[in-house]
Amino acid sequence: MKIITKIYLSIGFILLVFVFVTVAYFIQSNKVDNAIDEVLLSTEIIQANSNLQKAVLDAQAGMRGYLLSGKENYVEPYYAGVAEYLIELNILRKLNQSKPANIGYLNQIDQQFNNWNDSIASPLIEAKRNVNAGPKAQQEYNRLYYKTYTREEGKTRIDRIRYFTDLIEKVETRNKKALVGKLKTSQNLTDLLSLGLTVLAVIIGIATALLLGKTIKKRILSMQKLASNLARGNFEMKLTDHDHDELSSLSADMNVMAQKLQNSFAHLKKMNQELDQFAYVVSHDLKAPLRAINNLAEWIDEDIGETTPEIRKNLSLMRGRVHRLENLINGILAYSRIGRTKIEQNTFDLRELLQEITESLAPLPNQKIIIPTEPLQIQTEKILLQQVLVNLISNGLKYNNKPNAEVSVSAELNGKNYLIRVADNGPGIPPEYHEKIFGVFQTIEARDTIESTGIGLAIVKKIIEEKHGAIRVDSEPGQGTTFSFTWPLSQPVVLAPI
């Protein structure tokens, strides 16, 4: 299975858990909302039932007050209680539409209240108003009063009303308590479910991430180890991966790359061995005939004695060509060996190195080499820097056409590099030759005019570039020449022996 598929499945599973959490929370929230609605309904029923009881008591109290005082203002609570009763009864019927038992109780309450009002309260009030109309009116009032209070018919009906209202209150109070408990349970269950599923999703996510991360990390570390081995030149290591995913393909590609590098390295090693063999042949087999030719020319020159100047000139020219060819061979060998073997670094004073170079070049009386007066410690391959400076300084003297030739060398630290300049007061170099002079076998003057192999500046540039430095030339005809090059503070380079 591909890694991206594993990641998608893991994310999908986590999302599925969160969806389940959301749905479960939604369902429980609906249950909580329904429970809250039922609690609020029971509360409203209890309140309306209490208001109904109060209305009945107000009606009863108003009737009694009027019967005792006979004053009309005392009967007003009766009428207000009857009106309030009708309002609260209507409210209770609406609130209890889904509760048949309560509707039955309300019907009983309404029946008892209507009987009390129609047969007791209303007739008594009317009889009280007409009590002074005559003996019959007084007799009727006494009958009704006796029926109400002596036989307690009024009290019986009021007690029945109170009984049913108490039933409604008890039922709704009990129902409210049950709903409140159910509500708390639902809330707790919702919180626990949400928390539990969320924690589960987080645990699954972390476990999946750790598992995938550990697997991927282990395989990536193996690839990193392979890359490190390749960087160190160990091409034998191979990766083993059977997961058949993107990293497996990458591992296979790295194995192929390692194999190709191993083959290329073996081929390069073989080519280097052949090049070393060629250098040995050139160094020993080609130089020997050249030395023999040179010795033979010297013997002929000694044996012929006095002869024409032209013959001596030709012999001298022949020896010069032999020396040039030998120098050319040495230059080619020096150029080819750059970058193939590590050279030990040394710490030395640049000023002392320039003094050694000055002594080895042995400038003529009209030639002057100016070196820095301040010491500058350098840690690098001394032989390479010496080869660069010897070529540049010797060129500055060799090609200088001034009566008093001068070559000055300066050096300074420039960031992570040494900036070294070699300037002369010679004839200068035309701009069109500024790049060509660094090519192999390139010279400005004819070789018969000034002895040169044309490979010195090519060696200089290659050494500097192997050190990851850069060289440039600033010159105009008649204004001298300045070679400026950078030399890293400490950067190893390799050089193959001849």
Side-chain angles (χ1 to χ4, degrees), residues 428-439:
I429 302 173
E432 61 267 24
Y433 291 101
H434 285 185
E435 292 296 330
K436 293 181 180 179
I437 59 175
F438 293 108

Side-chain angles (χ1 to χ4, degrees), residues 35-47:
I36 291 174
D37 291 340
E38 291 181 10
V39 169
L40 292 176
L41 178 62
S42 295
T43 301
E44 291 180 4
I45 291 173
I46 292 172
Q47 183 61 45

Side-chain angles (χ1 to χ4, degrees), residues 51-63 75-90 110 113-114 116-118 120-122 125 158 161:
N51 293 338
L52 181 72
Q53 285 182 328
K54 182 176 180 300
V56 171
L57 293 177
D58 287 345
Q60 184 184 26
M63 180 198 71
V75 81
E76 290 179 3
Y78 162 77
Y79 292 114
V82 172
E84 182 66 23
Y85 164 81
L86 294 175
I87 293 173
E88 296 299 331
L89 180 65
N90 186 50
D110 192 40
F113 184 81
N114 289 332
W116 174 80
N117 189 44
D118 294 340
I120 296 175
S122 184
I125 292 172
I158 295 298
I161 292 173

